[in-house]
Amino acid sequence: MITHELIERIEGEAVLDFRTDKSGTVQEADIRFVHFRGMEAILEGRNALDALVIAPRVCGICGHSHLIAAVRMIENVYIDAGFSLSISPKAHAIREITLECELIQNHIKWLYLVMLHESGKLLGEEANVSLKALYVTSQINQLSALFSGQWPHSSYAIPGGVTCDPTHIEVMQALKILSEVEQFVAKEVLGCPLEKFELHLKSDSHRALEGDFSKLLHQFEKLNLLNTGKSHGRFLVLADNGGSLDNGERSVADVALVSEDSSHTFAHGGKTHAKNALYRGAFYEGGPLARALISERQGISSLYQKYGDCAMTRLSARIDEMVTLIVHVRSLLTSLDLSQPSFTPPSSILSISGSGVGIVEAPRGSLIHRAKIEKGKIVEYSIITPTQWNLGNGTASNLGVAQKAMIGAESIAKASLIFRTFDVCSVCTTH
């Protein structure tokens, strides 16, 4: 039987095409993104600094990630053109704080607005927990806006630093908000202090906790989904201290090995606007699970060794990343040296010609902005988004990451829930 499933309650929309056998078990799954926006075409021909305003509009959830990728790309164009840039540690830290706040609020929204809702609906146990997520994520966005001025769609990161110049009052306000977020995560999400969560992951006792995350795991257990959803066992992190992991074999990540495949898109007679993102010509998983394994975080590495890349490990990685980031944001806030400059003016963008790449670890995985600039104008612009890595369409002999994870699911509804464990973003994908 062939079934078409419209996936809503994500950023944008996606369509899943399933082929099932007589028992309803999923035999094939194709992923389609049917909208097109043309953000790259909008950017071409414009002043390079316009990317700092337009690129964040690619997404309503991870717009900040797009801003940081765009500014890093422009700064690398300066370097490619032979110009030097001076960015203070304070400016770097502030960019990191706001970027990590975006990841934290994304993970909370994914847990409460998507996963708890959808898994509860399948069990007939749908709980109204949305207000919890909306309040605490508004707090995190307030924290970010103390530095970025607004969320979403801020443009406060510019070549040479950031436009804000925070005082001790703003830092104290940020720490107060962060304390409230820590209390929420410990009491409502985890059911234990933040510093104890990794120990529970290592001892595989996290399902016995009483927070909302454990409730999600119990719902997956009732649906017989905890140990399903396995994919290729290949993982990729391109930003910062990146690396790749191919079934246990580690290597340093190289962005030169990244390619896009558009052979299945509408432009070539296919059924989607989304291109596949490939590494060494193969599908690799990006996002929280990849980052946990590449950075060898002990709790998730322990779960992976025991259970592999199943739904439980993938769900746990996103929650563990949220905890890790909250701790890191506190460290960044308490070590900010406010005496340093926020911004060091670079040469005029109109004197710059060259090429650049900006890479960021966004909530769903590695985000890449590339551009060629001539005398300050954008000649070429290319974006590869995280969802292109995880939700690509392959062939029967070379399945995409989420495609492979859905094959063998007992029903279309369960396959769709596995699909959501990857945290889908349609608008980014069809930028």
Side-chain angles (χ1 to χ4, degrees), residues 302-316:
S302 176
L303 282 184
Y304 180 70
Q305 288 172 7
K306 192 170 184 179
Y307 299 107
D309 58 338
C310 65
M312 181 178 68
T313 311
R314 191 169 289 116
L315 295 170
S316 301

Side-chain angles (χ1 to χ4, degrees), residues 220-357:
F220 265 63
E221 192 169 26
K222 288 180 183 177
L223 292 165
N224 197 28
L225 285 175
L226 270 186
N227 292 312
T228 65
K230 293 184 179 180
S231 191
H232 295 292
R234 294 192 294 258
F235 304 96
L236 179 66
V237 176
L238 287 168
D240 306 324
N241 299 313
S244 66
L245 187 63
D246 186 348
N247 291 292
E249 185 174 340
R250 290 180 176 275
S251 57
V252 176
D254 182 357
V255 70
L257 300 177
V258 173
S259 62
E260 278 189 303
D261 166 31
S262 59
S263 61
H264 60 293
T265 62
F266 285 115
H268 294 85
K271 298 180 179 179
T272 180
H273 282 296
K275 301 174 186 174
N276 293 332
L278 305 172
Y279 186 72
R280 298 181 188 273
F283 291 102
Y284 277 67
E285 179 173 348
L289 178 55
R291 291 191 284 262
L293 296 176
I294 296 297
S295 62
E296 300 184 83
R297 289 211 310 273
Q298 292 184 5
I300 297 303
S301 296
S302 176
L303 282 184
Y304 180 70
Q305 288 172 7
K306 192 170 184 179
Y307 299 107
D309 58 338
C310 65
M312 181 178 68
T313 311
R314 191 169 289 116
L315 295 170
S316 301
R318 196 171 296 271
I319 300 302
D320 184 53
E321 180 168 86
M322 178 175 60
V323 173
T324 302
L325 291 176
I326 289 172
V327 173
H328 191 226
V329 169
R330 175 169 287 281
S331 171
L332 290 168
L333 285 170
T334 53
S335 60
L336 269 181
D337 182 353
L338 299 183
S339 67
Q340 295 176 354
S342 293
F343 172 62
T344 305
S347 300
S348 167
I349 191 69
L350 298 179
S351 63
I352 303 302
S353 296
S355 299
V357 180

